[in-house]
Amino acid sequence: CTVDSPDNRCGIFLVEKIQKGYGLMTEKKQIGILAILIVFTGLLCVFFGIRSGKSTPERMTSAILNNKYKDAVTKVEVSQHGEVLTLYKDASLQSNWVGYSDSDPELVFPVDSVSMEEFLQNSTDIRDFVLISKNPDPQKLESFNLLDSSEITVNYYADESSVSSVTFGSNNYSGQKIYVTTPDSPIYEIHDDFFPWLTTAGKSWANMNFVPKNIMGITDASDIQRIIVSSKATGKGKNLTNATATAAATEGELFKEIADKVLSLRGGALINPTVAEGVSEIFELRLETGNTNSVTLKVYPYKDSFVVIPTVFLNTVAEGYRLNYGFEISTWTYNTMAQWVE
């Protein structure tokens, strides 16, 4: 067979031979590459499997506060930047929670009972504690904000005996976890659902309602029996009772309006009542319940706004309980109250 054969069969034969040889080489090459990939993939699996096994963090399930102490806790201290906020059950106020700061111990305010219950529940919830560092040195603690002025320490007491103490540091990169430690213990990472309470600011813990319903035993407006409002500026006033609602339609509507509204009014900022010393009162509202508990709200001008000072009286409590607080309020809130005497 020659290349210049008339029917060119020799050329066709050569081409077919070359194609078969190339196909064989290609097939062998593919098998070789596949084998290399299999080996490489296996090595990667082994490498990362070993690496993963080594880096799996240790964890445990526990709680910040043992559940058996939840109802026994009588005092909580929150400290940061040298400031200590004390929250405690006041026996003279039927064991309702009140609070004060060591920077202003005369400002004693009622604590939001719902928020306090949520805080204690969070503290006793079983959660994952992921180990970050077993034997942290001061430098390690500081890197997680657990040994500087930014850390927040919460101490729990039952009858003056400490039952738990935990220090909260910074959040992790996601912002969803927070680093914690206890005295002479490792650093752990837990889910951060403590954010609302990690502060020594009284406003974040206080019951900011003008009327502390839980302390006065009020469920809703139907528990209010008498409302007395008076304007010291105009000399006008009204004395409304629950019976007014059936005696006179107009005054009955006003009684219901005031009863509903006053229970929803809230302060804008927690403030020491001493700011009203030497200032003339301009408005007063007294609210009485069926069990003769009462709260008197006195309003004073304050800077460019106003301040309201609640005074709570409980018929079952001897004088001497420590509530002493006020709220800064807006002009809108004052005008809302002032119109009740018109």
Side-chain angles (χ1 to χ4, degrees):
C1 173
T2 62
V3 175
D4 56 353
S5 299
D7 55 2
N8 203 22
R9 282 178 296 176
C10 184
I12 294 172
F13 173 77
L14 289 174
V15 169
E16 288 177 349
K17 190 171 184 179
I18 291 171
Q19 287 178 337
K20 287 181 181 179
Y22 178 74
L24 184 62
M25 289 178 61
T26 301
E27 185 177 347
K28 288 181 178 179
K29 187 176 181 181
Q30 289 176 339
I31 293 173
I33 292 173
L34 181 60
I36 293 172
L37 286 174
I38 291 172
V39 172
F40 182 69
T41 302
L43 290 173
L44 284 177
C45 289
V46 171
F47 174 75
F48 283 109
I50 295 173
R51 188 177 175 85
S52 175
K54 286 185 176 180
S55 63
T56 300
E58 294 182 30
R59 64 181 63 220
M60 67 176 184
T61 56
S62 187
I64 296 292
L65 175 69
N66 191 313
N67 188 61
K68 71 179 182 180
Y69 293 118
K70 180 185 175 185
D71 296 329
V73 170
T74 54
K75 185 172 74 171
V76 173
E77 289 180 344
V78 185
S79 58
Q80 184 183 35
H81 301 307
E83 177 88 2
V84 180
L85 179 73
T86 300
L87 311 161
Y88 69 98
K89 284 185 175 180
D90 191 336
S92 67
L93 288 173
Q94 302 169 344
S95 293
N96 280 290
W97 287 89
V98 299
Y100 68 91
S101 170
D102 63 349
S103 64
D104 193 0
E106 297 305 313
L107 171 58
V108 183
F109 56 88
V111 170
D112 186 319
S113 59
V114 174
S115 180
M116 192 68 191
E117 175 63 25
E118 290 176 353
F119 166 73
L120 292 174
Q121 182 60 57
N122 262 32
S123 300
T124 56
D125 282 346
I126 299 298
R127 62 184 68 237
D128 283 338
F129 284 70
V130 179
L131 182 65
I132 300 299
S133 177
K134 276 188 177 180
N135 300 296
D137 54 27
Q139 185 176 0
K140 175 75 74 173
L141 288 168
E142 190 170 358
S143 68
F144 290 103
N145 289 339
L146 290 165
L147 193 66
D148 57 25
S149 60
S150 61
E151 88 276 6
I152 298 174
T153 299
V154 180
N155 290 294
Y156 303 79
Y157 297 88
D159 296 326
E160 298 302 321
S161 296
S162 177
V163 292
S164 182
S165 178
V166 60
T167 297
F168 295 82
S170 57
N171 290 95
N172 72 345
Y173 67 92
S174 72
Q176 297 179 348
K177 304 291 182 67
I178 191 168
Y179 302 110
V180 298
T181 188
T182 57
D184 302 318
S185 81
I187 297 174
Y188 292 98
E189 181 185 76
I190 64 171
H191 177 63
D192 185 12
D193 50 4
F194 282 90
F195 176 76
W197 303 286
L198 297 184
T199 176
T200 57
K203 179 181 176 181
S204 296
W205 293 86
N207 180 348
M208 299 295 287
N209 289 93
F210 287 6
V211 180
K213 293 190 295 183
N214 60 305
I215 290 179
M216 296 188 62
I218 295 176
T219 302
D220 53 40
S222 65
D223 293 321
I224 299 174
Q225 298 297 310
R226 181 184 297 275
I227 298 173
I228 304 170
V229 289
S230 60
S231 170
K232 305 303 180 181
T234 65
K236 295 180 180 180
K238 285 185 172 66
N239 188 333
L240 307 170
T241 67
N242 235 342
T244 305
T246 57
T250 302
E251 290 192 345
E253 291 173 0
L254 181 60
F255 177 88
K256 187 176 186 308
E257 176 190 338
I258 297 175
D260 287 334
K261 189 65 176 179
V262 76
L263 292 182
S264 67
L265 290 177
R266 293 173 59 85
L270 198 61
I271 198 167
N272 195 310
T274 55
V275 299
E277 290 180 355
V279 181
S280 298
E281 175 190 337
I282 59 174
F283 179 87
E284 183 174 311
L285 182 149
R286 178 181 171 86
L287 179 154
E288 298 176 358
T289 65
N291 55 12
T292 69
N293 290 341
S294 67
V295 59
T296 301
L297 308 174
K298 295 184 177 183
V299 181
Y300 302 84
Y302 175 68
K303 295 182 178 179
D304 295 328
S305 56
F306 301 88
V307 59
V308 59
I309 299 176
T311 301
V312 177
F313 172 80
L314 304 180
N315 65 348
T316 57
V317 177
E319 292 186 12
Y321 54 85
R322 294 189 59 199
L323 283 183
N324 182 51
Y325 65 106
F327 299 121
E328 186 174 357
I329 62 174
S330 66
T331 300
W332 179 89
T333 301
Y334 168 68
N335 288 337
T336 298
M337 301 170 71
Q339 69 181 0
W340 294 334
V341 298
E342 297 301 327

